[in-house]
Amino acid sequence: AVAEYVHVSDPYYSNLQGTNIPVWLAARESDTTNLKASFVNLHNALEAYETYYGPYVWERVGYCLVPFSSGAMEHATNIAYPQLTANGTTAFETLMAHELSHHWWGDWVTCETAEEMWINEGMAVYSEHLFLEFVYGWDAYMSEVRDNHYHVLHRTHVEDSGHYALNAVPIKYTYGEHSYHKGADVVHTLRNYMGNANFFAGLQAIQTTYGGNHISSFQFRDVLNTIAGVDVTDYFDDWIFQPGFSNPKAVI
């Protein structure tokens, strides 16, 4: 990204690590006021993800405004962020949170294959929900979860032209609705299946075990199964490794 950028420095103090993490927000000087207003909850997002996932491992947090209107890109420490969404309001702050969460899911622990993009993008969409819970409370979280669930039930198979197992999404739909929205939907249900303490302990264990590396859906499952009292084998068989929606198993 090349422009007459200025850098807004807003270091984040990590209570988890006991140190300051540099935060650089890059924009043209005329855009910095809006940028700071739109990123007012960036520190809250960092605190949320360190609480839920473990320490932020990179040397800095960075966002750089660019003239692009079709999403953002989670380049580690220098996220390319659309200028139009840094408009002085918090209307797009879940995008800010989404891209930040990739520093745990996608940049630090990444999916082994493109067909398993739910590990990157489903976790990032779910991280948006967790950000809302951390900043605004449980009702805000559940409102977002319900909206996402409705979308998954009504639109995902239409927009992706079929039902797919989350670990085997066709390359054509790598960045489609299954990876993003059904991935997040299934992760929310996994949280309830495991319980809060086990769920977050499992996600932190994945970060510790596979940080700086890739992970398959099977390895994801196996790390969760190392948590005492947890067995998510059937859950993954029903919700990750088969297409559509799970049917209750017949009891004979």
Side-chain angles (χ1 to χ4, degrees):
V2 179
E4 294 179 349
Y5 285 115
V6 296
H7 292 86
V8 177
S9 177
D10 185 23
Y12 163 74
Y13 182 78
S14 168
N15 288 307
L16 182 65
Q17 303 185 65
T19 188
N20 278 318
I21 297 173
V23 177
W24 288 7
L25 306 178
R28 295 177 302 181
E29 188 169 6
S30 59
D31 295 327
T32 56
T33 299
N34 280 346
L35 175 62
K36 287 185 287 187
S38 291
F39 277 60
V40 66
N41 280 315
L42 175 58
H43 284 204
N44 286 329
L46 279 159
E47 183 180 358
Y49 297 151
E50 285 208 316
T51 299
Y52 295 132
Y53 304 143
Y56 184 86
V57 301
W58 307 89
E59 66 270 22
R60 75 175 188 210
V61 176
Y63 287 81
C64 183
L65 293 192
V66 295
F68 182 70
S69 59
S70 296
M73 186 61 208
E74 63 271 15
H75 309 298
T77 77
N78 196 40
I79 295 164
Y81 197 78
Q83 177 183 347
L84 291 175
T85 61
N87 60 6
T89 76
T90 57
F92 299 98
E93 65 179 352
T94 54
L95 177 61
M96 170 201 73
H98 178 110
E99 301 307 325
L100 178 67
S101 75
H102 277 307
H103 287 67
W104 286 264
W105 305 104
D107 294 340
W108 185 235
V109 174
T110 192
C111 58
E112 184 173 78
T113 67
E115 289 86 350
E116 300 174 291
M117 190 56 65
W118 75 270
I119 294 172
N120 291 21
E121 296 298 351
M123 286 301 305
V125 173
Y126 185 69
S127 296
E128 298 175 32
H129 306 343
L130 286 180
F131 163 76
L132 293 174
E133 179 182 355
F134 192 86
V135 176
Y136 300 108
W138 180 255
D139 288 346
Y141 167 86
M142 284 304 303
S143 176
E144 195 77 0
V145 166
R146 290 189 186 102
D147 286 347
N148 184 63
H149 184 60
Y150 182 90
H151 178 85
V152 169
L153 290 173
H154 286 262
R155 297 299 309 166
T156 293
H157 63 290
V158 176
E159 296 182 27
D160 284 357
S161 300
H163 294 284
Y164 312 111
L166 281 180
N167 70 318
V169 174
I171 293 294
K172 181 178 180 179
Y173 300 109
T174 294
Y175 294 100
E177 298 298 311
H178 278 76
S179 297
Y180 283 76
H181 295 288
K182 188 177 181 184
D185 202 29
V186 166
V187 173
H188 163 72
T189 306
L190 179 64
R191 175 183 180 181
N192 284 272
Y193 188 86
M194 295 178 66
N196 274 353
N198 288 335
F199 175 73
F200 290 117
L203 296 184
Q204 290 170 21
I206 290 170
Q207 291 290 313
T208 300
T209 306
Y210 285 95
N213 210 329
H214 53 72
I215 187 173
S216 71
S217 299
F218 293 99
Q219 291 166 328
F220 199 109
R221 175 202 64 192
D222 291 345
V223 174
L224 297 182
N225 278 344
T226 65
I227 306 299
V230 169
D231 186 345
V232 295
T233 303
D234 286 346
Y235 184 85
F236 270 65
D237 286 345
D238 290 344
W239 291 102
I240 305 294
F241 301 143
Q242 72 170 9
F245 298 91
S246 176
N247 293 317
K249 292 181 174 64
V251 177
I252 300 176

